[in-house]
Amino acid sequence: MSPWRRSLALVALLAPAYGWLVFAVIAPLTIMLIFSFLNDVPIGERVVFFTFENYRDFFQHAFYWRLTAKSLLTGFYTTLLCLVLGYPMALVMAKVIPSHWRAALFMLVIVPFWSNTIVRLYSWAIVLRKGGVLDLLLQALGLSPGSLEILYTYRAILIGLVHGYLPYMVLTLYIALDRVDDSLLEAAASLGANAWQRFWRILFPLSIPGMISGSILIFIPVIGSFVEPRLLGGRAGTMIGTIIEDQFVQLFKWNFGATLSFLLLLIVLIFMLAFGLLLRRTRLLRGE
Amino acid sequence: MKAQALLFVLLSIFLITACAREAGAPPGTAPATETTALPAETVTLRVINWNGYGSDESFVLEEFGKKLNVKIEHDYINSEEEILTKLRTSPATYDAILPNVAYLQIAMQEGLIEPIDTSRLQNWEKLLPRFRDLPGLRDASGAVYGVPWVWGATAIAYNTEKFPGGIQSIQALWDPANKGQVGIFDSFEDAVVFAGLALGDRTPYQPDDLQAVKQKLMELLDNVKTLWASEDEFNKLFANGDITLGNYWSGAAARAAKMGLPMAFVVPPEGALGWIDTWAIPKNAPHKDLAYQWLDYMISPEFYLTWDSVAGAPAPTTQASLDALPEDHFNRAVMGDPEVLARLVFMETMTPETREEWNRLWEEVKAGH
C-alpha cells in the first residue's frame, strides 16, 4: 500500500471517532465556554456582549465557593465510602469466588443500574424516613432508642450517592484485581509470605490503578450531582449542582450556569491531572 | 478467554444502563408528558401547565379531546420562568400556555405570545369585570394577551389533626414549636414575599430592608424540613407526616382535602400572596383555531364546575361559576370575602435585576444550611 493510500485509510478510519468527538464534546464545551463570557443568551433580539461579570459574580459571593467546597467534599466522601465498601467485594469476586459464581455476583452489582434514578431515590426515601423501613426495623430489634430519621439530612444524600455509584468502583477494581496473575501470589506463598503479606505487598499495590480510575469515575459525576441532593437532602440539599440546575431551569441564566459548570470542569481537570500524576508515579514505582 | 468475553458483555450492559440512568428526569417533574391514546393521525394540542392543575384531568380528555378528536399533550413546569424558557427555546411548538398575569407582561415584551381576539371567545363576556378589565392583560395599545382562568392565594396549609385550633398567624411558620415540620415552596419570589409579610411589610415587592428579609429567611430555614417543588411533592410530604404545615396554593389545598388529606388552608392576618393565572397563545402556535377553542373551553363555567367537583379548583373568574358554588364553599365564603381579598398581595412583574438580587439572596440562605 502506498503511503498516500495508507494515510487516506487512516483518515477514513479515524474520521467517525474524531468527528463525533468534535460534534459531541468539543463543540458543546466551546459553546459553554463562550456562553460563560456573555451577558445574556443570544436568542431573539437580546443584545449580547462579552463580559467577565459572571466570573466576578462567582468570586464576589463567598457562598458559591462554600457550595463548591461542599460538593467537592461530597465527592470525596462518596468516593471514599465506595472504595471502603467496594474493595472487599471486588477482592472476593476476583480472587476468592469460583468463576462460575462470578456472573451471578456481577448481576447483583449491576442491578441498581437497571432501576430509574428517581425510583431508586424515592425508594430510599421510604427506607430512611422517620417511621420508615429502617426506623421500624431498628426499633423492632431494640437497637434504636428513639425514632431514627436520616431522610432530609446530609447522610441521606451520601447513602443515595454511594448506592448509585458503588458499581463503578466494584467493576474497575474487579478488572484490576483479576489481572493480577495468580502465579505471583503462589510464588509469594512459596517464599513464605502469609495471606496478609500477599495482599499488602502484591495485590494492593497492583490494584492502585484500578482504585484511581474507579475514583475518577465516581468523583467527577458526584461533584456535579443535583438529583440526589434535591430528593434526599431536604434543606441540606443545596449543592453547586442544584445551583447550576436552577440557573438553567428556573432562572434562564444560562450564562452564569455555564460559568459555574466551567469552573467545576476546571477543578475536575486539576484533580484529573493530580490523579494522572499519581497513576504515573505508581507505574514508575512498579518499574513499568 | 471465556471469562473475558463474559466480562465484556457485562461491562457493555453496565455502561448502557449507566448512560440510561443519566437521562432520569429532574426531581418533581414526574412524567414529562402525558398523552391520550388516540389514533396517530389526530391533531396534537400542546399545552404548558403545572402537573395536576385542571387541564390534565381525565374529563378534559373526554370532553374536549374526544369530542374534537384531539390529542392533548402536556409539558409540565415547576416554575413560571420555565414557561418563558420553553417558549424562547422551542418557538412555534406550543398551542396554549398558562402564565401568571405577572409574567404575561414579560412574555408580551419579548414577543413570545400573540394578541387574543376576544370576540372569538364565547365565554369572554362571562368573566367578572374585575378580571376582564385587568390592566396586566393588555399591552400599551390595549390588545389583550391573556384570558383570566382562575385565581387564588399562596398562603398556609396545615394539618388539622396537628393543629385542631387552626393557625392564627404567618409566624406559625417561624414558631420553634413547629421546628422540622415546615415545607416551603422552593421559589425566591414566594420566599422573599412571605418573609416581608411576616416582618409586617405590606409592600413586600418593594422591601424596606432586604437584609432583614434575609435574616428572617435564615430563621425560616431553621424550621424547615424540606423545600418542595410541585403539588405532588407537597402532598406526599404531607401524607407521610414529614411536614404538618407550609406555604401552599389554595387550589392545591382544596384538591388535597378532597383526596382525604387532613388539610386546611388559611390566609393569615399578616397577608399572603395572591395570583391570577391566565391562558395565552404562543406566537406562531401550530394550531391556533384549536387554541381558541381550548381557551374558550377552559374559561367556561362548565369546565370550572366539573373541575371543582371532581378534583377541587382555585377561585373562579366568572360570575356564573361563583353563583353555582355552595354558600359555604371556600372559594365563595373565604376567597369571596373582601377582607381576605384586601389581605392578599398580588404577584407583580419583576425586573430582571430584582429577580437576580432576590434569587441570589435565596440561594445564599439555602447555602447556609
Side-chain angles (χ1 to χ4, degrees), chain B residues 67-143:
Chain B
K67 202 184 285 172
L68 299 172
N69 196 24
V70 176
K71 195 168 140 184
I72 304 165
E73 197 171 297
H74 277 82
D75 261 16
Y76 294 126
I77 45 159
N78 279 331
S79 72
E80 293 285 337
E81 185 71 38
E82 256 187 282
I83 305 176
L84 303 178
T85 304
K86 281 182 198 291
L87 295 188
R88 285 168 187 145
T89 52
S90 318
T93 305
Y94 299 98
D95 299 302
I97 58 165
L98 187 86
N100 186 288
V101 74
Y103 285 79
L104 211 52
Q105 291 289 332
I106 304 172
M108 241 181 256
Q109 280 155 19
E110 285 191 31
L112 299 172
I113 49 177
E114 298 214 336
I116 293 167
D117 178 3
T118 55
S119 68
R120 291 180 66 181
L121 300 172
Q122 288 172 6
N123 291 311
W124 174 257
E125 289 303 324
K126 291 185 188 160
L127 292 170
L128 286 159
R130 74 181 168 97
F131 293 111
R132 207 172 50 214
D133 301 337
L134 266 177
L137 303 178
R138 292 167 171 80
D139 67 3
S141 72

Side-chain angles (χ1 to χ4, degrees), chain B residues 40-344:
Chain B
E41 59 274 11
T42 52
V43 177
T44 303
L45 183 82
R46 298 197 70 181
V47 175
I48 303 181
N49 194 358
W50 303 76
N51 195 355
Y53 196 39
S55 65
D56 55 359
E57 292 289 338
S58 55
F59 76 88
V60 174
L61 308 179
E62 277 299 320
E63 288 189 9
F64 189 86
K66 289 261 170 68
K67 202 184 285 172
L68 299 172
N69 196 24
V70 176
K71 195 168 140 184
I72 304 165
E73 197 171 297
H74 277 82
D75 261 16
Y76 294 126
I77 45 159
N78 279 331
S79 72
E80 293 285 337
E81 185 71 38
E82 256 187 282
I83 305 176
L84 303 178
T85 304
K86 281 182 198 291
L87 295 188
R88 285 168 187 145
T89 52
S90 318
T93 305
Y94 299 98
D95 299 302
I97 58 165
L98 187 86
N100 186 288
V101 74
Y103 285 79
L104 211 52
Q105 291 289 332
I106 304 172
M108 241 181 256
Q109 280 155 19
E110 285 191 31
L112 299 172
I113 49 177
E114 298 214 336
I116 293 167
D117 178 3
T118 55
S119 68
R120 291 180 66 181
L121 300 172
Q122 288 172 6
N123 291 311
W124 174 257
E125 289 303 324
K126 291 185 188 160
L127 292 170
L128 286 159
R130 74 181 168 97
F131 293 111
R132 207 172 50 214
D133 301 337
L134 266 177
L137 303 178
R138 292 167 171 80
D139 67 3
S141 72
V144 173
Y145 283 78
V147 180
W149 185 44
V150 287
W151 70 282
T154 305
I156 298 177
Y158 62 92
N159 190 317
T160 48
E161 287 161 7
K162 294 278 160 59
F163 300 96
I167 297 275
Q168 271 76 37
S169 164
I170 199 169
Q171 305 297 345
L173 297 173
W174 277 266
D175 190 342
N178 301 327
K179 195 177 166 84
Q181 299 175 36
V182 178
I184 290 292
F185 183 39
D186 191 0
S187 140
F188 62 87
E189 186 172 351
D190 294 44
V192 171
V193 168
F194 264 72
L197 290 170
L199 289 167
D201 188 351
R202 282 300 299 160
T203 54
Y205 274 93
Q206 292 79 37
D208 306 328
D209 182 359
L210 260 185
Q211 275 309 308
V213 165
K214 189 169 150 190
Q215 187 58 40
K216 192 76 178 163
L217 283 175
M218 301 247 235
E219 291 163 20
L220 178 63
L221 268 244
D222 285 337
N223 256 16
V224 161
K225 161 78 72 165
T226 188
L227 302 161
W228 60 274
S230 68
E231 184 173 333
D232 179 59
E233 195 180 1
F234 187 96
N235 288 345
K236 277 202 188 92
L237 292 165
F238 194 90
N240 285 323
D242 288 326
I243 58 172
T244 58
L245 76 165
N247 60 347
Y248 204 27
W249 305 316
S250 57
R255 280 187 286 284
K258 228 178 181 95
M259 282 193 298
L261 290 176
M263 194 188 289
F265 186 80
V266 60
V267 179
E270 293 89 345
L273 195 58
W275 39 261
I276 302 165
D277 282 333
T278 61
W279 282 105
I281 301 178
K283 186 158 249 171
N284 302 324
H287 313 101
K288 207 171 296 173
D289 292 334
L290 202 56
Y292 270 97
Q293 283 177 288
W294 173 259
L295 261 57
D296 209 18
Y297 171 64
M298 279 289 126
I299 59 169
S300 67
E302 296 74 40
F303 165 80
Y304 176 82
L305 292 168
T306 316
W307 182 21
D308 190 59
S309 68
V310 301
T317 48
T318 61
Q319 189 66 48
S321 300
L322 202 57
D323 290 344
L325 291 176
E327 292 270 352
D328 61 343
H329 192 288
F330 179 85
N331 286 332
R332 194 168 169 179
V334 181
M335 300 302 273
D337 182 353
E339 239 174 72
V340 172
L341 194 63
R343 267 187 255 155
L344 294 179

Side-chain angles (χ1 to χ4, degrees), chain A residues 114-188:
Chain A
W114 288 354
S115 57
N116 175 287
T117 314
I118 307 290
V119 174
R120 196 150 39 77
L121 295 178
Y122 273 125
S123 314
W124 272 115
I126 294 169
V127 173
L128 298 176
R129 71 163 30 100
K130 188 165 65 185
V133 177
L134 188 66
D135 185 15
L136 294 181
L137 191 71
L138 288 179
Q139 279 183 31
L141 295 171
L143 293 172
S144 168
S147 62
L148 176 84
E149 185 169 32
I150 299 175
L151 189 61
Y152 306 127
T153 64
Y154 186 68
R155 281 171 298 164
I157 305 176
L158 283 184
I159 290 172
L161 285 170
V162 168
H163 182 215
Y165 287 100
L166 188 60
Y168 289 93
M169 189 60 94
V170 175
L171 291 177
T172 48
L173 278 175
Y174 170 80
I175 293 164
L177 288 167
D178 191 51
R179 264 207 312 232
V180 177
D181 196 335
D182 282 343
S183 57
L184 284 176
L185 300 173
E186 285 157 14

Side-chain angles (χ1 to χ4, degrees), chain A residues 170-281:
Chain A
V170 175
L171 291 177
T172 48
L173 278 175
Y174 170 80
I175 293 164
L177 288 167
D178 191 51
R179 264 207 312 232
V180 177
D181 196 335
D182 282 343
S183 57
L184 284 176
L185 300 173
E186 285 157 14
S190 76
L191 292 170
N194 62 26
W196 169 251
Q197 284 169 322
R198 289 200 298 272
F199 168 72
W200 186 244
R201 304 281 292 273
I202 297 169
L203 273 181
F204 187 78
L206 289 176
S207 66
I208 288 175
M211 286 161 67
I212 292 174
S213 40
S215 299
I216 292 173
L217 278 179
I218 295 172
F219 185 76
I220 292 168
V222 166
I223 58 175
S225 63
F226 61 92
V227 183
E228 291 87 352
R230 193 148 274 184
L231 288 184
L232 300 175
R235 56 174 197 172
T238 303
M239 300 257 173
I240 205 68
T242 61
I243 296 281
I244 294 174
E245 189 211 359
D246 281 347
Q247 307 305 318
F248 288 95
V249 178
Q250 304 257 6
L251 299 161
F252 203 66
K253 281 174 62 185
W254 293 4
N255 306 89
F256 190 58
T259 304
L260 292 177
S261 308
F262 211 80
L263 287 168
L264 211 55
L265 187 71
L266 210 62
I267 294 168
V268 166
L269 284 176
I270 292 169
F271 272 90
M272 288 272 280
L273 210 66
F275 275 132
L277 288 175
L278 210 67
L279 204 64
R280 230 174 54 186
R281 253 193 75 179

